[in-house]
Amino acid sequence: MATLEVRIEEPVTFVIFGATGDLTRRKLMPALYTLFKEGALTKEFSIVGFARREHDDRSFCKLMNEALREHSRTSLDDESLKSFCSHLSYHRGDLSESSAYEKLKEKFDDDALPANRLFYLSITSDLIEPVVEQLRKAGLITPPQDMPWTRVVVEKPFGHDLESARKLNRLLLRHMDETQIYRIDHYLGKETVQNILSFRFANTIFEPVFNRTYVDHIQITAAETIGMESGRGAFYDRTGALRDMVANHLFQLLCLVAMEPPSGMEAHSIRNEKMKVLRALRPATATEEKKTACFGQYGGNEKYKAFRDEDRVAPDSTTETFAALRMEINNWRWAGVPVYLRTGKRLAKKTTEIVIRFKTPPLALFQHVACKGDVCDLTGVNPNTLIFRIQPDEGIFLQISAKRPSMQMVVESVNMDFSYSGKWKKELPEAYERLLMDAMRGDSTLFTRSDEAEAEWAVIEMILAAASGTGPVPYAPGSWGPEEADELMLNDEKWINE
Ligand code: BG6
């Protein structure tokens, strides 16, 4: 019998830069609290919140308790909260001042904080450079492979374009080794995203058909209903859908779906295979009739503000809140298979899913029908469709054709369903729980390597070049984006809106 529970055995100090910010409140603290409550952390762990605001240990603890009450998925009780708080402390300081880092160093010594340290940079990208430089100057970054260890977690975006991504990598690599850098893309921490690899490589029957011979096209959709809540307008207006979602989350999903089997499950084997996909990925060639990219921006209605009227968004903003793309993976396995990517804010539904549409059988032997009760309409052939439902209703669905019970030989499309909630009653872990745990354990498999980050930006630059002059077209809030997105599709393909 083996237990599947994982614990951090080593003492760790978790220092959060930007400790009073939104991410700390919504994601980091709730994840740390859940790990704590589940007994996944050692007794010797310490969380230090580093920020500029006026707080002491007590008021910081109070602030974090409020955040937990609002965002924790794990039940709260006074005793656990008190005990969790005994691991928290606050370090007030200006991120650009060396004295703040010297004092942090003293804190490690004076308060006998665990010497293994994980610095979580929950800060805007312009602050990464000063913070990392100050950490190095204060002697807070230990050499790679040394004990005690130092690791630094960096939040996306990893740059704004290829040049800034390279600059960021150079800066980080000047002060530490790649093995100490954990670039977080929270999609990789989602349980269902990790399941893409198990689905493909732990089963014999699917992998042989994941290629150009059998697959007609691939669709990946990450649709959101939210707009600019939580004061995100300023950040988003500078960023847009392509940089915010496609350059990382969507490309990473695609890598997992399209990569070759890795030689093992270690970080470098998986990342090497993802890299090969990114190197082969490019926007499809546009034709007179078929573009390769469609950008949109949401308008308003009586319920929702238009993007341009959102707080801290320029009234004449041309930032895209929706992006749809037709891409190709130019390698042996996938050449000629269109890959459609789509993401946007204020869409009809919050859903992330990957659709693999297979080719139709070579000979149409049967009549295909779609029925309501006993009333059936003839349809065209329904090709097999495999859907990875990343969120919500996490699961995998395979649409197949089955003979409809009747005296006639007609077939109807039916679903083979696997749903997480149907099989396992336990709530799925939050992505941040998994990723923080992995960073503390030194497992970088689910983090983005420097070359991946650069390769992602190289593809974004190709897209921008291919789509130059394509401004965003308006779409209605609550829709599936602009109708122009349909025009990217080849043949009779359609976006599948599940
Ligand atoms: C973040 C983006 O990385 O992912 C946000 O910056 C987006 O704009 C979020 O809302 C979506 O994450 P999830 O897990 O809710 O799909």
Side-chain angles (χ1 to χ4, degrees):
M1 291 269 276
T3 170
L4 297 179
E5 299 309 323
V6 181
R7 284 190 84 232
I8 309 281
E9 302 296 348
E10 293 171 322
V12 183
T13 300
F14 196 102
V15 185
I16 306 176
F17 291 84
T20 51
D22 193 49
L23 185 79
T24 308
R25 295 167 50 83
R26 279 190 309 113
K27 297 289 181 190
L28 304 183
M29 274 306 156
L32 288 167
Y33 178 74
T34 300
L35 293 175
F36 166 76
K37 194 81 197 287
E38 288 181 351
L41 304 175
T42 64
K43 289 205 170 49
E44 290 171 275
F45 89 94
S46 189
I47 303 171
V48 179
F50 188 141
R52 217 174 20 196
R53 289 204 193 153
E54 202 62 70
H55 275 295
D56 55 20
D57 292 353
R58 246 180 103 159
S59 63
F60 181 60
C61 162
K62 194 161 164 257
L63 190 73
M64 293 304 117
N65 273 353
E66 283 161 17
L68 291 176
R69 281 185 210 290
E70 207 178 327
H71 301 291
S72 175
R73 74 174 181 96
T74 308
S75 66
L76 305 168
D77 60 84
D78 288 347
E79 201 182 317
S80 311
L81 281 175
K82 200 165 152 218
S83 165
F84 183 64
C85 253
S86 69
H87 295 271
L88 293 189
S89 64
Y90 190 69
H91 184 72
R92 182 171 175 267
D94 192 318
L95 294 180
S96 58
E97 271 183 20
S98 37
S99 58
Y101 296 80
E102 282 151 23
K103 285 200 190 110
L104 179 64
K105 181 122 196 296
E106 284 164 21
K107 192 175 165 70
F108 267 96
D109 301 334
D110 298 350
D111 298 357
L113 297 178
N116 291 319
R117 51 196 83 133
L118 190 140
F119 296 118
Y120 197 108
L121 309 190
S122 176
I123 49 181
T124 51
S125 44
D126 53 318
L127 288 171
I128 294 177
E129 180 161 2
V131 169
V132 172
E133 270 168 7
Q134 295 287 2
L135 284 172
R136 160 59 85 204
K137 242 171 67 193
L140 281 159
I141 301 181
T142 52
Q145 327 298 347
D146 256 31
M147 289 303 277
W149 50 255
T150 305
R151 295 179 196 135
V152 175
V153 182
V154 187
E155 270 285 334
K156 67 171 260 291
F158 315 123
H160 188 75
D161 52 20
L162 181 55
E163 200 191 317
S164 54
R166 283 188 180 139
K167 191 166 162 240
L168 178 64
N169 282 337
R170 274 200 304 273
L171 160 89
L172 293 170
L173 292 167
R174 203 162 57 232
H175 297 294
M176 61 199 124
D177 187 77
E178 180 69 39
T179 55
Q180 296 173 289
I181 309 169
Y182 289 70
R183 292 175 199 78
I184 208 162
D185 179 322
H186 78 280
Y187 265 57
L188 291 179
K190 291 181 191 280
E191 196 66 27
T192 39
V193 171
Q194 294 161 51
N195 189 40
I196 298 170
L197 288 188
S198 13
F199 181 86
R200 290 188 58 202
F201 304 131
N203 295 299
T204 317
I205 58 173
F206 299 107
E207 192 45 30
V209 295
F210 261 56
N211 56 49
R212 66 192 308 276
T213 312
Y214 297 100
V215 174
D216 182 75
H217 70 274
I218 298 172
Q219 296 185 20
I220 302 183
T221 295
E224 295 182 272
T225 51
I226 56 164
M228 293 300 110
E229 289 85 351
S230 321
R232 291 197 89 222
F235 162 78
Y236 197 85
D237 197 14
R238 283 196 309 274
T239 311
L242 196 62
R243 291 181 166 88
D244 184 42
M245 293 289 290
V246 179
N248 33 68
H249 305 325
L250 266 62
F251 282 174
Q252 287 290 331
L253 293 181
L254 178 58
C255 283
L256 297 177
V257 167
M259 69 188 232
E260 294 299 320
S263 54
M265 287 305 285
E266 326 75 51
H268 69 273
S269 306
I270 292 180
R271 288 153 142 199
N272 288 350
E273 295 309 331
K274 287 198 290 170
M275 258 314 279
K276 290 184 199 160
V277 177
L278 289 169
R279 285 216 187 93
L281 182 64
R282 62 210 59 204
T285 315
T287 61
E288 285 269 298
E289 303 82 48
K290 295 284 175 191
K291 292 196 184 140
T292 56
C294 164
F295 299 128
Q297 188 187 77
Y298 61 82
N301 59 16
E302 49 305 323
K303 196 161 165 212
Y304 296 113
K305 282 183 183 169
F307 179 66
R308 289 177 175 191
D309 297 331
E310 297 272 20
D311 202 21
R312 300 168 73 200
V313 171
D316 55 353
S317 171
T318 53
T319 302
E320 78 288 352
T321 60
F322 173 95
L325 306 163
R326 179 158 48 88
M327 309 283 297
E328 298 171 347
I329 305 169
N330 273 346
N331 64 16
W332 199 264
R333 184 189 280 255
W334 294 113
V337 177
V339 175
Y340 300 101
L341 305 179
R342 175 176 64 156
T343 185
K345 303 272 186 215
R346 280 273 183 270
L347 296 182
K349 205 172 151 190
K350 165 90 180 162
T351 176
T352 303
E353 62 186 29
I354 302 169
V355 176
I356 315 284
R357 188 79 149 177
F358 290 92
K359 293 188 171 166
T360 49
L363 201 58
L365 289 174
F366 305 101
Q367 285 198 317
H368 288 246
V369 292
C371 306
K372 277 205 180 101
D374 282 338
V375 184
C376 299
D377 281 331
L378 282 179
T379 62
V381 178
N382 283 316
N384 293 133
T385 306
L386 176 68
I387 301 181
F388 292 93
R389 175 78 54 75
I390 306 296
Q391 62 185 15
D393 309 330
E394 292 80 356
I396 295 177
F397 305 86
L398 181 62
Q399 284 172 1
I400 56 173
S401 292
K403 181 185 174 312
R404 187 180 162 80
S406 79
M407 293 298 158
Q408 292 189 42
M409 192 61 181
V410 294
V411 296
E412 193 177 351
S413 195
V414 296
N415 275 351
M416 290 174 86
D417 282 9
F418 150 65
S419 85
Y420 272 78
S421 59
K423 166 70 187 165
W424 294 291
K425 297 298 162 226
K426 203 172 166 214
E427 205 183 328
L428 294 179
E430 267 283 314
Y432 274 91
E433 291 161 21
R434 168 69 198 248
L435 295 173
L436 298 188
M437 187 82 178
D438 282 359
M440 288 189 265
R441 289 158 70 210
D443 182 349
S444 57
T445 313
L446 300 177
F447 294 81
T448 309
R449 202 168 59 188
S450 56
D451 52 350
E452 284 178 77
E454 290 182 19
E456 288 176 340
W457 283 114
V459 181
I460 292 292
E461 299 215 332
M462 283 190 255
I463 294 171
L464 288 170
S468 110
T470 313
V473 283
Y475 62 93
S479 67
W480 281 101
E483 277 169 16
E484 283 81 347
D486 297 347
E487 293 166 16
L488 302 178
M489 308 299 252
L490 301 179
N491 310 321
D492 293 330
E493 295 154 12
K494 285 193 174 36
W495 290 106
I496 295 177
N497 300 325
E498 280 284 323

